Short mmCIF file of all heavy atoms in Angstrom, two decimals:
data_model
loop_
_atom_site.label_atom_id
_atom_site.label_comp_id
_atom_site.label_asym_id
_atom_site.label_seq_id
_atom_site.Cartn_x
_atom_site.Cartn_y
_atom_site.Cartn_z
N PHE T 1478 6.12 16.70 -14.39
CA PHE T 1478 7.00 17.08 -13.28
C PHE T 1478 8.18 17.91 -13.75
O PHE T 1478 8.64 18.81 -13.05
CB PHE T 1478 7.51 15.83 -12.54
CG PHE T 1478 6.56 15.37 -11.48
CD1 PHE T 1478 5.74 14.29 -11.69
CD2 PHE T 1478 6.46 16.06 -10.28
CE1 PHE T 1478 4.84 13.88 -10.73
CE2 PHE T 1478 5.56 15.66 -9.31
CZ PHE T 1478 4.75 14.57 -9.53
N VAL T 1482 9.41 21.01 -11.36
CA VAL T 1482 10.65 21.02 -10.56
C VAL T 1482 11.81 20.63 -11.48
O VAL T 1482 11.59 20.17 -12.61
CB VAL T 1482 10.59 20.00 -9.37
CG1 VAL T 1482 9.67 20.49 -8.28
CG2 VAL T 1482 10.19 18.61 -9.84
N GLU T 1483 13.05 20.77 -10.97
CA GLU T 1483 14.20 20.44 -11.80
C GLU T 1483 14.39 18.91 -11.81
O GLU T 1483 15.01 18.34 -10.91
CB GLU T 1483 15.44 21.13 -11.24
CG GLU T 1483 16.51 21.36 -12.29
CD GLU T 1483 17.74 22.01 -11.68
OE1 GLU T 1483 17.58 22.86 -10.78
OE2 GLU T 1483 18.86 21.63 -12.09
N THR T 1484 13.80 18.28 -12.80
CA THR T 1484 13.90 16.82 -12.92
C THR T 1484 13.70 16.45 -14.38
O THR T 1484 13.50 17.31 -15.23
CB THR T 1484 12.88 16.12 -12.00
OG1 THR T 1484 13.19 14.73 -11.96
CG2 THR T 1484 11.44 16.30 -12.46
N SER T 1485 13.74 15.14 -14.64
CA SER T 1485 13.53 14.68 -16.02
C SER T 1485 12.90 13.30 -16.01
O SER T 1485 13.00 12.57 -15.01
CB SER T 1485 14.89 14.60 -16.75
OG SER T 1485 15.68 13.63 -16.10
N TRP T 1488 15.61 10.73 -15.30
CA TRP T 1488 16.03 10.57 -13.89
C TRP T 1488 14.97 9.76 -13.13
O TRP T 1488 15.29 8.80 -12.43
CB TRP T 1488 16.21 11.94 -13.21
CG TRP T 1488 16.94 11.84 -11.89
CD1 TRP T 1488 18.27 12.01 -11.66
CD2 TRP T 1488 16.35 11.52 -10.60
NE1 TRP T 1488 18.56 11.81 -10.32
CE2 TRP T 1488 17.39 11.50 -9.65
CE3 TRP T 1488 15.07 11.22 -10.16
CZ2 TRP T 1488 17.20 11.22 -8.30
CZ3 TRP T 1488 14.87 10.93 -8.80
CH2 TRP T 1488 15.92 10.94 -7.90
N ILE T 1489 13.72 10.16 -13.28
CA ILE T 1489 12.65 9.49 -12.50
C ILE T 1489 12.55 8.02 -12.91
O ILE T 1489 12.44 7.12 -12.06
CB ILE T 1489 11.29 10.22 -12.68
CG1 ILE T 1489 11.39 11.66 -12.23
CG2 ILE T 1489 10.19 9.48 -11.91
CD1 ILE T 1489 10.16 12.53 -12.58
N ARG T 1492 15.70 5.98 -11.67
CA ARG T 1492 15.82 5.87 -10.20
C ARG T 1492 14.65 5.17 -9.53
O ARG T 1492 14.78 4.65 -8.44
CB ARG T 1492 15.96 7.26 -9.56
CG ARG T 1492 17.15 8.06 -9.99
CD ARG T 1492 18.42 7.49 -9.40
NE ARG T 1492 19.58 8.23 -9.88
CZ ARG T 1492 20.45 8.83 -9.09
NH1 ARG T 1492 20.30 8.78 -7.78
NH2 ARG T 1492 21.47 9.45 -9.61
N THR T 1493 13.46 5.22 -10.19
CA THR T 1493 12.27 4.70 -9.49
C THR T 1493 11.41 3.73 -10.30
O THR T 1493 10.62 2.99 -9.73
CB THR T 1493 11.31 5.87 -9.09
OG1 THR T 1493 10.72 6.41 -10.28
CG2 THR T 1493 12.04 6.97 -8.36
N CYS T 1568 2.62 2.55 4.62
CA CYS T 1568 2.61 1.65 3.45
C CYS T 1568 2.35 0.19 3.82
O CYS T 1568 2.03 -0.63 2.96
CB CYS T 1568 3.92 1.77 2.69
SG CYS T 1568 4.25 3.46 2.19
N ASP T 1606 9.33 19.78 -3.67
CA ASP T 1606 10.44 18.92 -3.25
C ASP T 1606 10.63 17.80 -4.28
O ASP T 1606 9.92 16.79 -4.24
CB ASP T 1606 10.15 18.34 -1.85
CG ASP T 1606 11.18 17.32 -1.42
OD1 ASP T 1606 12.30 17.32 -2.01
OD2 ASP T 1606 10.89 16.51 -0.51
N ARG T 1607 11.61 17.96 -5.15
CA ARG T 1607 11.77 16.99 -6.25
C ARG T 1607 12.18 15.60 -5.76
O ARG T 1607 11.98 14.61 -6.45
CB ARG T 1607 12.79 17.49 -7.26
CG ARG T 1607 14.22 17.57 -6.71
CD ARG T 1607 15.19 17.96 -7.80
NE ARG T 1607 16.57 17.98 -7.30
CZ ARG T 1607 17.63 18.13 -8.05
NH1 ARG T 1607 17.48 18.29 -9.35
NH2 ARG T 1607 18.84 18.13 -7.52
N GLY T 1608 12.76 15.54 -4.55
CA GLY T 1608 13.20 14.25 -4.02
C GLY T 1608 12.05 13.35 -3.57
O GLY T 1608 12.21 12.14 -3.44
N SER T 1609 10.88 13.95 -3.31
CA SER T 1609 9.76 13.12 -2.85
C SER T 1609 8.52 13.20 -3.74
O SER T 1609 7.82 12.22 -3.94
CB SER T 1609 9.37 13.49 -1.41
OG SER T 1609 8.84 14.80 -1.36
N CYS T 1610 8.26 14.39 -4.34
CA CYS T 1610 6.96 14.57 -5.01
C CYS T 1610 6.77 13.64 -6.20
O CYS T 1610 5.64 13.28 -6.53
CB CYS T 1610 6.76 16.02 -5.44
SG CYS T 1610 7.85 16.59 -6.75
N ILE T 1611 7.87 13.24 -6.82
CA ILE T 1611 7.76 12.39 -8.02
C ILE T 1611 7.33 10.96 -7.68
O ILE T 1611 6.96 10.20 -8.57
CB ILE T 1611 9.13 12.36 -8.76
CG1 ILE T 1611 10.26 12.05 -7.75
CG2 ILE T 1611 9.41 13.69 -9.42
CD1 ILE T 1611 10.95 10.80 -7.97
N LEU T 1612 7.36 10.62 -6.38
CA LEU T 1612 7.13 9.22 -6.01
C LEU T 1612 5.65 8.85 -5.86
O LEU T 1612 5.29 7.70 -6.10
CB LEU T 1612 7.80 8.92 -4.66
CG LEU T 1612 9.32 9.02 -4.60
CD1 LEU T 1612 9.79 8.91 -3.16
CD2 LEU T 1612 9.97 7.93 -5.46
N PHE T 1613 4.81 9.81 -5.45
CA PHE T 1613 3.52 9.41 -4.88
C PHE T 1613 2.31 9.64 -5.79
O PHE T 1613 2.29 10.55 -6.60
CB PHE T 1613 3.31 10.14 -3.55
CG PHE T 1613 4.39 9.83 -2.55
CD1 PHE T 1613 5.36 10.77 -2.24
CD2 PHE T 1613 4.47 8.58 -1.97
CE1 PHE T 1613 6.38 10.47 -1.34
CE2 PHE T 1613 5.49 8.27 -1.06
CZ PHE T 1613 6.45 9.21 -0.75
N SER T 1647 12.56 8.79 9.56
CA SER T 1647 12.86 8.50 8.14
C SER T 1647 11.71 8.86 7.21
O SER T 1647 11.93 9.18 6.05
CB SER T 1647 13.14 7.01 7.95
OG SER T 1647 14.18 6.60 8.74
N LEU T 1648 10.50 8.74 7.71
CA LEU T 1648 9.30 8.95 6.88
C LEU T 1648 8.22 9.51 7.80
O LEU T 1648 7.80 8.83 8.73
CB LEU T 1648 8.77 7.60 6.41
CG LEU T 1648 9.36 6.91 5.21
CD1 LEU T 1648 8.96 5.44 5.25
CD2 LEU T 1648 8.84 7.53 3.94
N MET T 1671 4.56 15.36 3.57
CA MET T 1671 5.41 14.19 3.84
C MET T 1671 6.88 14.56 3.69
O MET T 1671 7.24 15.26 2.76
CB MET T 1671 5.13 13.10 2.80
CG MET T 1671 4.06 12.16 3.13
SD MET T 1671 3.94 10.91 1.84
CE MET T 1671 3.29 11.84 0.47
N THR T 1672 7.69 14.02 4.60
CA THR T 1672 9.14 14.16 4.49
C THR T 1672 9.73 12.77 4.45
O THR T 1672 9.33 11.91 5.25
CB THR T 1672 9.69 14.91 5.74
OG1 THR T 1672 9.07 16.18 5.79
CG2 THR T 1672 11.19 15.08 5.67
N ILE T 1673 10.63 12.51 3.54
CA ILE T 1673 11.26 11.18 3.51
C ILE T 1673 12.77 11.32 3.43
O ILE T 1673 13.29 12.24 2.83
CB ILE T 1673 10.77 10.31 2.31
CG1 ILE T 1673 11.18 10.93 0.97
CG2 ILE T 1673 9.28 10.10 2.35
CD1 ILE T 1673 11.08 9.95 -0.18
N ASN T 1674 13.43 10.38 4.09
CA ASN T 1674 14.88 10.26 3.91
C ASN T 1674 15.06 9.07 2.96
O ASN T 1674 15.18 7.92 3.38
CB ASN T 1674 15.56 10.00 5.26
CG ASN T 1674 17.06 9.90 5.11
OD1 ASN T 1674 17.57 9.60 4.02
ND2 ASN T 1674 17.77 10.15 6.17
N GLY T 1675 14.99 9.38 1.66
CA GLY T 1675 14.92 8.34 0.63
C GLY T 1675 16.01 7.29 0.72
O GLY T 1675 15.72 6.09 0.67
N LYS T 1676 17.26 7.74 0.91
CA LYS T 1676 18.39 6.79 0.92
C LYS T 1676 18.26 5.80 2.07
O LYS T 1676 18.44 4.59 1.91
CB LYS T 1676 19.72 7.55 1.06
CG LYS T 1676 20.34 7.97 -0.23
CD LYS T 1676 21.74 7.35 -0.36
CE LYS T 1676 22.36 7.55 -1.73
NZ LYS T 1676 21.50 7.48 -2.89
N GLU T 1677 17.98 6.38 3.27
CA GLU T 1677 17.85 5.55 4.47
C GLU T 1677 16.74 4.51 4.29
O GLU T 1677 16.92 3.32 4.56
CB GLU T 1677 17.50 6.48 5.63
CG GLU T 1677 18.01 6.03 6.97
CD GLU T 1677 17.79 7.16 7.97
OE1 GLU T 1677 18.62 8.08 8.00
OE2 GLU T 1677 16.77 7.11 8.69
N VAL T 1678 15.58 4.99 3.80
CA VAL T 1678 14.43 4.09 3.61
C VAL T 1678 14.78 3.01 2.60
O VAL T 1678 14.47 1.82 2.80
CB VAL T 1678 13.19 4.88 3.13
CG1 VAL T 1678 12.05 3.94 2.79
CG2 VAL T 1678 12.76 5.89 4.17
N TYR T 1679 15.44 3.39 1.55
CA TYR T 1679 15.79 2.47 0.46
C TYR T 1679 16.53 1.24 1.01
O TYR T 1679 16.10 0.10 0.80
CB TYR T 1679 16.67 3.22 -0.55
CG TYR T 1679 16.92 2.49 -1.84
CD1 TYR T 1679 16.28 2.88 -3.00
CD2 TYR T 1679 17.81 1.42 -1.91
CE1 TYR T 1679 16.50 2.22 -4.19
CE2 TYR T 1679 18.03 0.75 -3.10
CZ TYR T 1679 17.39 1.16 -4.24
OH TYR T 1679 17.61 0.51 -5.41
N TYR T 1680 17.61 1.50 1.74
CA TYR T 1680 18.43 0.36 2.17
C TYR T 1680 17.75 -0.46 3.27
O TYR T 1680 17.83 -1.69 3.29
CB TYR T 1680 19.82 0.84 2.59
CG TYR T 1680 20.59 1.32 1.38
CD1 TYR T 1680 20.88 2.67 1.19
CD2 TYR T 1680 20.96 0.42 0.37
CE1 TYR T 1680 21.53 3.11 0.04
CE2 TYR T 1680 21.61 0.86 -0.77
CZ TYR T 1680 21.89 2.20 -0.93
OH TYR T 1680 22.52 2.63 -2.07
N ALA T 1682 14.54 -0.81 3.64
CA ALA T 1682 13.43 -1.54 3.02
C ALA T 1682 13.94 -2.82 2.35
O ALA T 1682 13.35 -3.90 2.54
CB ALA T 1682 12.73 -0.65 1.99
N HIS T 1710 4.72 -4.11 -2.00
CA HIS T 1710 4.33 -2.70 -2.00
C HIS T 1710 5.16 -1.99 -3.06
O HIS T 1710 6.37 -2.19 -3.15
CB HIS T 1710 4.57 -2.12 -0.61
CG HIS T 1710 4.56 -0.63 -0.59
ND1 HIS T 1710 3.55 0.10 -1.16
CD2 HIS T 1710 5.45 0.27 -0.11
CE1 HIS T 1710 3.81 1.39 -1.01
NE2 HIS T 1710 4.97 1.51 -0.38
N GLN T 1711 4.49 -1.18 -3.87
CA GLN T 1711 5.17 -0.54 -5.00
C GLN T 1711 5.81 0.77 -4.53
O GLN T 1711 5.22 1.84 -4.61
CB GLN T 1711 4.16 -0.29 -6.13
CG GLN T 1711 3.37 -1.52 -6.55
CD GLN T 1711 4.20 -2.52 -7.35
OE1 GLN T 1711 4.83 -2.15 -8.33
NE2 GLN T 1711 4.20 -3.78 -6.94
N MET T 1712 7.03 0.68 -4.00
CA MET T 1712 7.69 1.89 -3.50
C MET T 1712 8.78 2.39 -4.43
O MET T 1712 9.04 3.58 -4.50
CB MET T 1712 8.22 1.69 -2.08
CG MET T 1712 9.32 0.67 -1.94
SD MET T 1712 9.61 0.22 -0.22
CE MET T 1712 10.17 1.76 0.47
N ASN T 1713 9.41 1.49 -5.12
CA ASN T 1713 10.48 1.85 -6.07
C ASN T 1713 10.83 0.57 -6.82
O ASN T 1713 11.15 -0.44 -6.20
CB ASN T 1713 11.68 2.39 -5.28
CG ASN T 1713 12.82 2.83 -6.18
OD1 ASN T 1713 13.08 2.21 -7.22
ND2 ASN T 1713 13.49 3.90 -5.82
N ALA T 1714 10.78 0.62 -8.16
CA ALA T 1714 11.05 -0.59 -8.94
C ALA T 1714 12.45 -1.13 -8.68
O ALA T 1714 12.68 -2.34 -8.70
CB ALA T 1714 10.87 -0.30 -10.42
N ARG T 1715 13.39 -0.21 -8.38
CA ARG T 1715 14.77 -0.67 -8.10
C ARG T 1715 14.84 -1.47 -6.80
O ARG T 1715 15.57 -2.45 -6.70
CB ARG T 1715 15.72 0.52 -8.02
CG ARG T 1715 16.15 1.02 -9.40
CD ARG T 1715 16.83 2.36 -9.28
NE ARG T 1715 18.09 2.30 -8.54
CZ ARG T 1715 18.58 3.32 -7.82
NH1 ARG T 1715 17.93 4.45 -7.73
NH2 ARG T 1715 19.72 3.19 -7.18
N ILE T 1716 14.06 -1.04 -5.81
CA ILE T 1716 14.02 -1.79 -4.54
C ILE T 1716 13.46 -3.18 -4.81
O ILE T 1716 14.01 -4.20 -4.37
CB ILE T 1716 13.15 -1.05 -3.49
CG1 ILE T 1716 13.82 0.26 -3.08
CG2 ILE T 1716 12.87 -1.95 -2.28
CD1 ILE T 1716 13.05 1.07 -2.04
N ASN T 1740 3.86 5.35 -6.08
CA ASN T 1740 3.69 4.75 -4.76
C ASN T 1740 2.38 5.27 -4.17
O ASN T 1740 2.25 6.47 -3.91
CB ASN T 1740 4.89 5.16 -3.88
CG ASN T 1740 4.80 4.66 -2.46
OD1 ASN T 1740 3.76 4.17 -2.02
ND2 ASN T 1740 5.88 4.77 -1.72
N SER T 1742 1.10 4.09 -1.28
CA SER T 1742 1.14 3.68 0.14
C SER T 1742 0.22 2.48 0.40
O SER T 1742 0.34 1.47 -0.28
CB SER T 1742 0.80 4.88 1.03
OG SER T 1742 1.09 4.60 2.37
N PHE T 1770 6.65 -2.36 3.30
CA PHE T 1770 7.54 -1.65 4.23
C PHE T 1770 7.17 -0.17 4.16
O PHE T 1770 6.90 0.34 3.07
CB PHE T 1770 9.00 -1.82 3.80
CG PHE T 1770 9.97 -1.08 4.68
CD1 PHE T 1770 10.52 -1.70 5.80
CD2 PHE T 1770 10.29 0.24 4.43
CE1 PHE T 1770 11.39 -1.00 6.64
CE2 PHE T 1770 11.15 0.95 5.26
CZ PHE T 1770 11.71 0.33 6.36
N GLY T 1771 7.15 0.50 5.31
CA GLY T 1771 6.81 1.92 5.24
C GLY T 1771 7.01 2.66 6.55
O GLY T 1771 7.66 2.17 7.49
N GLY T 1772 6.41 3.84 6.62
CA GLY T 1772 6.59 4.73 7.77
C GLY T 1772 6.15 4.10 9.07
O GLY T 1772 5.25 3.27 9.12
C1 COA S 2501 13.83 8.88 -3.38
C2 COA S 2501 14.78 8.05 -4.24
C3 COA S 2501 14.14 7.77 -5.59
C4 COA S 2501 16.03 8.88 -4.49
O1 COA S 2501 16.96 8.14 -5.25
P1 COA S 2501 18.50 8.13 -4.83
O2 COA S 2501 19.21 7.35 -5.84
O3 COA S 2501 18.55 7.66 -3.41
O4 COA S 2501 18.87 9.64 -5.00
P2 COA S 2501 19.49 10.64 -3.90
O5 COA S 2501 18.43 11.03 -2.92
O6 COA S 2501 20.77 10.09 -3.39
O7 COA S 2501 19.80 11.87 -4.82
C5 COA S 2501 20.82 11.82 -5.80
C6 COA S 2501 20.86 13.15 -6.52
O8 COA S 2501 19.67 13.32 -7.30
C7 COA S 2501 19.04 14.55 -6.95
N1 COA S 2501 17.59 14.37 -7.09
C8 COA S 2501 16.68 14.03 -6.15
N2 COA S 2501 15.46 13.97 -6.68
C9 COA S 2501 15.60 14.28 -8.00
C10 COA S 2501 14.71 14.39 -9.07
N3 COA S 2501 13.38 14.16 -8.93
N4 COA S 2501 15.20 14.72 -10.28
C11 COA S 2501 16.51 14.94 -10.47
N5 COA S 2501 17.42 14.86 -9.49
C12 COA S 2501 16.96 14.54 -8.26
C13 COA S 2501 19.46 14.83 -5.54
O9 COA S 2501 19.36 16.21 -5.25
C14 COA S 2501 20.89 14.34 -5.55
O10 COA S 2501 21.69 15.33 -6.14
P3 COA S 2501 23.18 15.62 -5.57
O11 COA S 2501 23.93 14.32 -5.78
O12 COA S 2501 23.63 16.73 -6.42
O13 COA S 2501 22.98 15.95 -4.13
C15 COA S 2501 15.14 6.71 -3.54
O14 COA S 2501 16.03 6.95 -2.48
C16 COA S 2501 13.93 5.99 -3.01
O15 COA S 2501 13.08 5.55 -3.76
N6 COA S 2501 13.85 5.81 -1.67
C17 COA S 2501 12.74 5.19 -1.00
C18 COA S 2501 11.48 5.92 -1.26
C19 COA S 2501 10.59 6.05 -0.08
O16 COA S 2501 10.98 6.39 0.99
N7 COA S 2501 9.32 5.80 -0.29
C20 COA S 2501 8.34 5.96 0.72
C21 COA S 2501 8.28 4.79 1.63
S1 COA S 2501 7.36 3.46 1.05
#
Side-chain angles (χ1 to χ4, degrees):
F1478 274 103
V1482 287
E1483 204 182 324
T1484 191
S1485 63
W1488 193 95
I1489 301 171
R1492 299 288 177 123
T1493 70
C1568 304
D1606 173 19
R1607 67 175 182 171
S1609 67
C1610 68
I1611 49 115
L1612 296 171
F1613 301 107
S1647 302
L1648 278 162
M1671 271 183 290
T1672 301
I1673 65 164
N1674 181 337
K1676 271 239 171 323
E1677 211 170 278
V1678 174
Y1679 190 105
Y1680 292 110
H1710 164 50
Q1711 307 287 308
M1712 65 193 296
N1713 182 323
R1715 279 168 65 210
I1716 293 180
N1740 177 349
S1742 192
F1770 178 91

